[in-house]
Amino acid sequence: MASGAAGGGKEERVLLVGGNWKMNGSVDLIGQFGREDSIVSTEGVQVLVAPPSLYLVPAQAVLSPRCLLASQTVSEHGRGAFTGEISASMLMDVAIKWTLIGHSERRTLYGEDDARVRAKLCTAWAAGLSVILCVGESLQVRSQGDKAAEAFVCSQLEASLAPASGGAAATGISFDNPRPIEKDEDEAISGHDAEPAAQQHQRLVIAYEPIWAIGTGQVASAAAAQRMHAIIRHWLAAQFGPSLARHIRIIYGGSVTAAGAEELIQQVDIDGFLVGGASLKPAEFGTIIQTVKRQKAKGVQ
Ligand code: PGA
């Protein structure tokens, strides 16, 4: 599969830079983010922050509408006796419209297998949330070579997004029944002059995060990341058609820093970042955002 083959269309995609605070942060850090001028969405680059759920509402008060807020996970259940969990409809109730799903730490530390990731995705999607679906291979899989890593990532996509085999049972997400996007959300996505038409493909973002790169300081090379992003876009094209695949954002995560962002964001299929450790430093996170905005302004082939 030619690695750049599916890369066309980057200039049409709104890039996205997300900060995943994990179990870090404080009211003070929210205040620091509020004072950092570069942490702000523009027409071509969305900024998203995913603090611990306790801080979502306080962060919203300080940061909205400058950036989007996301939960780091969401329950696959609608409501009920699930101590400690947060439902998709609760997030929507307090106007938190984004969630991460399937982060590798949820998968490895909390036993979220593909079936649960899929259930969470379906529940979140049906409730109207926008989703960043995280996928990525372990070091053990990567050590078996590119093909093994690609097959693994495609199997994660398949398990989460493909229609269930055997007919009438739960299907993966569908782009056929548009939820009307509210005005403020639409503006954050596409700028103030945007058409109000719902853009369902904007509600799904794939984050490619090789596990061996997360929190290790070992970033995937730009070429290797591009190669996997192209594979993911090919998979999306086969699943949803080339037009949707052209518009769905695929972002990279795994030890992204201000220093490494420049080369990665130049790749035709890399549409932004999910940043962990470096997103806890407002100035560095702001620099990464500025790098992405500069690339957006330059235009991409
Ligand atoms: P990292 O984390 O940037 O600290 O590697 C990325 C992530 O887990 O999303």
Side-chain angles (χ1 to χ4, degrees):
M1 206 178 296
S3 66
K10 183 166 178 179
E11 66 288 349
E12 294 164 28
R13 296 192 286 275
V14 175
L15 305 183
L16 188 147
V17 183
N20 174 14
W21 288 8
K22 311 190 180 188
M23 200 174 74
N24 299 293
S26 59
V27 170
D28 183 58
L29 186 64
I30 295 169
Q32 292 178 43
F33 267 53
R35 292 189 293 277
E36 178 58 58
D37 289 341
S38 50
I39 301 179
V40 60
S41 296
T42 51
E43 192 168 326
V45 180
Q46 277 179 303
V47 177
L48 171 146
V49 176
S53 50
L54 178 66
Y55 291 122
L56 280 166
V57 171
Q60 186 181 41
V62 175
L63 299 177
S64 184
R66 293 173 52 187
C67 66
L68 301 165
L69 275 302
S71 177
Q72 296 175 8
T73 185
V74 66
S75 175
E76 64 271 39
H77 303 290
R79 60 187 287 277
F82 301 101
T83 301
E85 293 289 286
I86 291 177
S87 76
S89 59
M90 289 171 190
L91 291 170
M92 292 297 283
D93 193 31
V94 294
I96 300 296
K97 295 176 184 157
W98 283 78
T99 186
L100 311 185
I101 290 182
H103 189 280
S104 69
E105 285 148 21
R106 300 298 313 175
R107 293 179 191 254
T108 57
L109 301 175
Y110 298 97
E112 291 187 7
D113 59 10
D114 279 336
R116 271 184 82 194
V117 169
R118 180 188 182 87
K120 284 169 185 270
L121 188 69
C122 291
T123 303
W125 192 262
L129 282 170
S130 299
V131 171
I132 299 179
L133 172 66
C134 304
V135 295
E137 79 284 358
S138 65
L139 185 58
Q140 193 241 334
V141 171
R142 171 54 66 178
S143 68
Q144 294 162 30
D146 287 347
K147 289 277 170 243
E150 289 160 16
F152 181 83
V153 166
C154 289
S155 78
Q156 287 184 315
L157 294 170
E158 188 81 28
S160 306
L161 290 173
S165 53
T171 56
I173 63 160
S174 152
F175 295 99
D176 296 339
N177 270 325
R179 167 187 69 100
I181 290 183
E182 289 163 30
K183 195 165 184 323
D184 60 330
E185 193 182 352
D186 200 42
E187 283 172 356
I189 287 171
S190 310
H192 293 268
D193 301 328
E195 288 178 26
Q199 301 281 306
Q200 290 297 294
H201 55 261
Q202 302 273 21
R203 289 181 55 210
L204 176 67
V205 173
I206 310 294
Y208 169 56
E209 300 201 295
I211 298 173
W212 48 269
I214 294 178
T216 59
Q218 211 188 328
V219 195
S221 72
Q226 163 57 30
R227 183 182 158 95
M228 186 65 88
H229 282 228
I231 296 286
I232 292 171
R233 204 175 301 284
H234 275 280
W235 187 91
L236 293 170
Q239 187 63 47
F240 299 120
S243 169
L244 274 169
R246 213 176 135 85
H247 287 98
I248 293 174
R249 277 86 56 83
I250 306 172
I251 62 177
Y252 170 81
S255 295
V256 174
T257 59
E262 178 102 43
E263 195 187 355
L264 285 162
I265 199 60
Q266 288 169 8
Q267 309 304 310
V268 289
D269 285 298
I270 297 184
D271 302 319
F273 301 118
L274 187 55
V275 186
S279 79
L280 296 170
K281 304 172 199 152
E284 179 162 14
F285 188 51
T287 304
I288 295 169
I289 293 165
Q290 291 304 113
T291 302
V292 173
K293 285 179 180 170
R294 265 201 316 280
Q295 183 65 27
K296 183 71 188 172
K298 267 197 252 167
V300 191
Q301 58 274 49

